[in-house]
Amino acid sequence: MTVPQEPLRDVIARHGLQASKSLGQNFILDRQLLARIAAVPGSLAGQTVYEVGPGPGGLTHAALEAGATMVAVERDRRCLPALAELEGLYPGQLRVIDADALTIDEPAEVGAGAHVISNLPYNVGTALLLRWLSGSWPPWWRSLTLMFQKEVAERIVSAPGSKNYGRLSVLSQWRSDARIVLNVHRSAFVPPPKVMSAVVHITPKAMPLNVEPAVLQKLTEAAFGQRRKMLRSSLKELPRALDVLKHLGIDSARRAETVSVDEFVAIARQLSAGG
């Protein structure tokens, strides 16, 4: 169903909206750009989409226009009237939840197999991503298409040895594929943020066997918490870690940024085994 698209600038003005710095909001007004972002996962016809922080509903409108059924979570009540208009324009396709996204039980609210598409508020983006990556596997979501500050996006997809490779890289890549699909100039936002942004697309892959996610999280936290130190120093407080390095033939004089995702998984597997 094609619905006439009022310029987003007019929607924002009509509802007296202004992006909230405290909520990490930056609105995108370019509907062509929003349509490109919504198209990243592929056809949305008949698909379920989950969105965090829809704001005035620009990306929401693009996904609805593409045929999605949506659940959107918005904690800024100033935006609810604009979203209610979209509910009326697309009857039965959109449900808006007035809540903080960090408190949502997504499987209960959204179900399994949803595409998450969101221009994430900057102040909660990484926390939400880590939550979505650290749950049971396979996850409740089918794909994640998420806008981040470009520096965060590069950390998610970085390879070992690069300056951006770190804990977020390992936790993103050990059981999912992540890639940057779109760079977005700061001028695309209102108000323009101080940094460039990028859209990352993440899809789940098979989880490595015999690895406890909590163990990998502790391992990477210790390793990258003191990333300039050698592994023999950064991991010395982690029980059995140095013995595992020796068992696997991983030089304890290396630094965390040189250790590949597969090597971190191998270490975590041995630590998960206990004994």
Side-chain angles (χ1 to χ4, degrees):
M1 178 178 66
T2 300
V3 174
Q5 296 193 0
E6 178 184 5
L8 274 168
R9 194 176 297 276
D10 294 350
V11 175
I12 291 170
R14 185 160 51 79
H15 290 281
L17 298 177
Q18 188 172 6
S20 167
K21 186 175 182 179
S22 66
L23 295 177
Q25 291 174 329
N26 296 91
F27 301 147
I28 300 176
L29 304 186
D30 184 341
R31 289 200 183 273
Q32 287 188 325
L33 173 58
L34 292 165
R36 287 176 64 194
I37 296 170
V40 167
S43 174
L44 295 181
Q47 298 293 307
T48 300
V49 168
Y50 177 61
E51 183 182 10
V52 171
L59 186 55
T60 319
H61 197 160
L64 292 168
E65 187 72 12
T69 298
M70 296 192 66
V71 176
V73 177
E74 179 58 70
R75 65 173 294 189
D76 185 354
R77 293 186 172 181
R78 300 173 307 155
C79 297
L80 298 181
L83 296 171
E85 290 180 358
L86 284 179
E87 287 182 287
L89 290 172
Y90 293 88
Q93 276 186 253
L94 173 63
R95 180 166 61 94
V96 178
I97 302 174
D98 173 11
D100 183 336
L102 291 170
T103 68
I104 294 295
D105 179 349
E106 293 102 348
E109 295 287 356
V110 186
H115 295 287
V116 181
I117 306 177
S118 185
N119 171 22
L120 289 174
Y122 281 168
N123 55 358
V124 296
T126 302
L128 283 170
L129 174 63
L130 287 174
R131 191 172 92 170
W132 294 334
L133 291 171
S134 63
S136 59
W137 216 258
W140 60 270
W141 46 270
R142 181 173 299 182
S143 74
L144 306 174
T145 301
L146 306 172
M147 179 86 73
F148 291 99
Q149 296 177 43
K150 190 173 182 182
E151 179 184 352
V152 176
E154 288 173 343
R155 284 165 51 202
I156 292 168
V157 306
S158 285
S162 65
K163 65 177 183 178
N164 291 307
Y165 181 72
R167 182 169 185 253
L168 190 58
S169 314
V170 178
L171 295 180
S172 297
Q173 296 173 37
W174 78 286
R175 54 182 183 178
S176 65
D177 292 311
R179 60 192 178 95
I180 292 176
V181 293
L182 193 64
N183 290 308
V184 182
H185 195 273
R186 54 187 298 274
S187 63
F189 299 87
V190 174
K194 294 180 181 179
V195 296
M196 302 288 278
S197 298
V199 177
V200 179
H201 186 60
I202 300 173
T203 53
K205 61 185 181 185
M207 176 172 164
L209 296 175
N210 304 317
V211 179
E212 292 291 335
V215 171
L216 184 65
Q217 290 176 32
K218 288 181 181 178
L219 170 64
T220 53
E221 184 176 6
F224 289 103
Q226 305 177 75
R227 63 183 297 142
R228 290 188 173 275
K229 292 190 175 183
M230 298 178 188
L231 294 175
R232 67 166 65 106
S233 295
S234 61
L235 298 183
K236 66 181 180 181
E237 301 299 328
L238 196 63
R240 299 179 52 248
L242 298 185
D243 290 338
V244 168
L245 292 181
K246 185 176 181 180
H247 173 74
L248 294 174
I250 296 174
D251 187 351
S252 64
R254 290 169 61 185
R255 290 178 171 82
E257 68 246 27
T258 72
V259 180
S260 71
V261 174
D262 286 344
E263 286 176 314
F264 272 116
V265 167
I267 298 168
R269 179 178 290 114
Q270 292 294 318
L271 293 175
S272 299

